[in-house]
Amino acid sequence: MTKPILEAKGIVKELGQGAGMVRALKGVDITLNPGELTLLMGPSGSGKTTLLSIMGCILTPTEGHLAILGQSTAGMDAEELARLRRRHIGFVFQSYNLFPTLTALENVRLGLDVQGVHGSAATERARAALTSVGLAHRLRNYPRNLSGGEQQRVAVARAIAGSPALLLADEPTAALDAENGQAVMALLSELARDESRAILAVTHDNRTLPFADRIVHIEDGRIVGEERKTPDSRRPPAEAPRSKKKKA
Amino acid sequence: MVLTLAFRNLFHDRIRLVVTLVGILFSIVLVAVQLGLYLGARKMIIGMIDNANAELWVTAFGAKSFEEAGSLDGRQRHIALSVPGVASVEPLVASFNEWRKPDGGATLSVVVGTDMPVGGLAPWNMIEGEPADMFRPNAVIAERTYLENLGIKGVGDTAEIGAQRVKVVGLTEGIRSFTTAPYVFMPLARARAIMGMTENQTTFYLVKLQPGAEAPIVQRALQARLSGVEVLTTTEFRDRSLAHWLFSTGAGVALIGGALLGTLVGTVIVAQTLYSSTKDHLNEFATLRALGSSSGYIHRVILLQAALSAGFGYALGMTIALIIIEASKNSALPIIMTPGLAAGLLALTIFMCAISALAAIMKVTRIDPAMVFAR
């Protein structure tokens, strides 16, 4: 059995203090395995983003245990968590979060620079990442000159340029039209075929379902269900695969 | 990429950049001019003291400056010469006196009477004539930049000091006077005659030490032997003159106060623009943090932004300051720029921008990378 990329057990997260304290996560167990694209779905306020932030080592859980590639995050300070993120985790954000003053190539290079990859090595890797998302012809363009879909692909290139083991995407299709949303999901689905990488995307968008290997449902801070598809059933949207659903 | 990001952040908003650079530029020019004026004033006040070839100055008790000192009698010289360690004791006369212009009118001048022995004071920076020319009958040496004040055109012109007719036989360049009363060099005897002094009276005795003699020891010995006088080292006399002209009159306080104000205004403007630039880019810094950057990486971006602002602001500010300095060359109070002041201004600019960056760094230190999911 392959070792999981991420293991979270009994994750509890309390936000706020005193009378205003909210228990956003109430004991979540989740495992992300390599070669899988997992969708995390749930209504607004269900705790999706909080769970994503904890899995991305941006927030720390109030209770519970989180391990990335077998390395426990317990007791890590902010700088140690940042180090873990830059080594193993890539992010794709709903609003792309590209740097408007940098070109597509520079945006990807910046992500690599943060990881300690500099100079021509960074340029080559950034160019290869942008080429892999179909933007070889847009290297010198600034975000303002790119469509929403292209910007999100630059964000994906930035996330994968450092070859992270874990790719976390927050509503990656929410700001995109149907065509661009499908293209980005197809790209994430393709990236998930890499057996050394796990991808999790938080989404509301039902059009993303056909690309998933696994769909995890969260409600009121708890995992309430999970659908897992057979490895060969992952197909383009026109040939949406069958799924089997089980209660968590 | 840190430099690229800092550069682009800075140049992305041109209006803010202009405001930042104007703030630094204003500050640099103000500080450069104020400190340049201070240095200019300082040079004028201590020029005579620094150019006199003496280690110790014997002055009347309570002498305030080179121009304002009482007179000494000739006995002091013989006593001073008997003190161990003293090589020579030379008289020097200096006092305000009225210069009557050839075409009418008068102005105040400072008569400097010297026989230019070893250990004395000779006119320097001569552009016409020789110091020894002043020993010709009625001869004096004047400063070129004050020719108009003195009502003359140059060498060969005549005027009167007190009741004595004098003829200009040489010109100096750059021996300026803080009081704006031009220095006029002449032999001791002529100066004494103009001032109504006896042939033994003087304003100062300039003491030159024997090789190996220690100034503080000789100073104490002279002070013990001479009564009713003060014996000052060159540094002490220089400090006293500066204290009198710059601080007793308030002129120095105004100059230094202006420099401090310039620094304060510059710092506030740079801090405000850098802070607001950081606030505008907060989401980008949060993204960097989410991508795993260390806080040091983000601090480097902010510090580099500050350093770039400092560099551009300094270059522009110094250019304008140098133009102003050049324009002040022939004014009553020339502004001086020295390599030390230029280096000091660069250090001040960097300090100002670094202090300004602190507010931005404190803001970014409290950044929550989770805000990248909140949009």
Side-chain angles (χ1 to χ4, degrees), chain A residues 132-143:
Chain A
S132 74
V133 299
L135 289 176
H137 62 299
R138 297 295 230 170
L139 302 181
R140 308 283 169 202
N141 285 84
Y142 287 91

Side-chain angles (χ1 to χ4, degrees), chain B residues 96-333:
Chain B
F96 287 107
N97 220 296
E98 195 174 62
W99 171 285
R100 292 180 196 280
K101 301 178 188 179
D103 296 334
T107 187
L108 207 57
S109 64
V110 178
V111 166
V112 180
T114 172
D115 279 352
M116 300 186 303
V118 175
L121 174 66
W124 67 98
N125 286 355
M126 297 284 298
I127 53 167
E128 275 190 66
E130 296 292 330
D133 290 344
M134 69 183 184
F135 292 101
R136 283 161 26 194
N138 299 325
V140 295
I141 292 172
E143 162 64 30
R144 183 194 64 80
T145 44
Y146 293 119
L147 286 178
E148 199 176 327
N149 293 20
L150 295 171
I152 53 174
K153 291 193 172 60
V155 169
D157 283 0
T158 57
E160 279 181 26
I161 306 180
Q164 289 249 353
R165 189 167 168 274
V166 293
K167 182 179 182 184
V168 177
V169 295
L171 292 176
T172 60
E173 170 88 28
I175 305 182
R176 311 293 293 273
S177 165
F178 183 69
T179 61
T180 71
Y183 293 116
V184 180
F185 290 89
M186 62 188 71
L188 263 175
R190 194 168 306 132
R192 283 175 173 141
I194 287 172
M195 319 259 298
M197 286 177 162
T198 65
E199 64 178 285
N200 289 324
Q201 275 186 309
T202 185
T203 316
F204 304 105
Y205 281 118
L206 305 188
V207 178
K208 191 92 180 114
L209 302 184
Q210 288 172 351
E214 288 185 37
I217 295 169
V218 179
Q219 181 189 18
R220 279 197 295 276
L222 279 170
Q223 193 65 72
R225 296 284 299 276
L226 303 173
S227 58
V229 303
E230 279 187 281
V231 182
L232 304 172
T233 62
T234 301
T235 307
E236 285 169 346
F237 192 33
R238 186 193 293 149
D239 292 346
R240 183 179 290 191
S241 297
L242 287 171
H244 172 64
W245 288 119
L246 288 179
F247 299 105
S248 299
T249 61
V253 175
L255 294 173
I256 291 171
L260 287 175
L261 189 69
T263 307
L264 187 69
V265 169
T267 305
V268 168
I269 292 177
V270 180
Q272 200 278 331
T273 43
L274 207 57
Y275 183 77
S276 94
S277 164
T278 303
K279 261 183 89 175
D280 282 0
H281 292 103
L282 214 52
N283 199 61
E284 291 166 28
F285 290 129
T287 302
L288 271 179
R289 197 76 174 117
L291 294 178
S293 84
S294 62
S295 42
Y297 189 94
I298 296 172
H299 296 169
R300 283 206 297 280
V301 175
I302 294 172
L303 284 171
L304 258 173
Q305 266 183 257
L308 286 170
S309 305
F312 288 120
Y314 178 76
L316 284 171
M318 279 301 281
T319 304
I320 292 174
L322 289 173
I323 291 169
I324 294 171
I325 287 164
E326 185 59 30
S328 79
K329 222 171 173 178
N330 291 317
S331 70
L333 183 50

Side-chain angles (χ1 to χ4, degrees), chain A residues 5-8 11 13 25 28 30 32 40 47-61 65-69 71-73 76-93 164-170 198-202, chain B residues 286-293 368-373:
Chain A
I5 301 284
L6 176 146
E7 274 185 296
I11 299 292
K13 182 64 182 175
L25 297 175
V28 171
I30 189 168
L32 299 179
L40 179 64
K48 301 187 299 293
T49 301
T50 305
L51 181 56
L52 183 76
S53 301
I54 288 173
M55 288 192 289
C57 299
I58 285 175
L59 287 180
T60 50
H65 176 259
L66 175 73
I68 309 286
L69 292 170
Q71 185 179 0
S72 172
T73 62
M76 285 188 175
D77 63 20
E79 291 303 316
E80 289 169 324
L81 289 171
R83 194 178 306 126
L84 193 67
R85 286 199 296 277
R86 67 176 171 265
R87 282 183 185 163
H88 302 306
I89 305 172
F91 286 98
V92 177
F93 306 103
L166 177 61
L167 185 61
L168 299 174
D170 179 36
I199 300 180
L200 178 133
V202 164
Chain B
T287 302
L288 271 179
R289 197 76 174 117
L291 294 178
S293 84
D368 179 6
M371 70 184 278
V372 291
F373 296 122

Side-chain angles (χ1 to χ4, degrees), chain A residues 233-244:
Chain A
S233 65
R234 194 167 58 181
R235 293 285 185 275
E239 302 170 50
R242 292 166 295 170
S243 61
K244 52 183 181 183

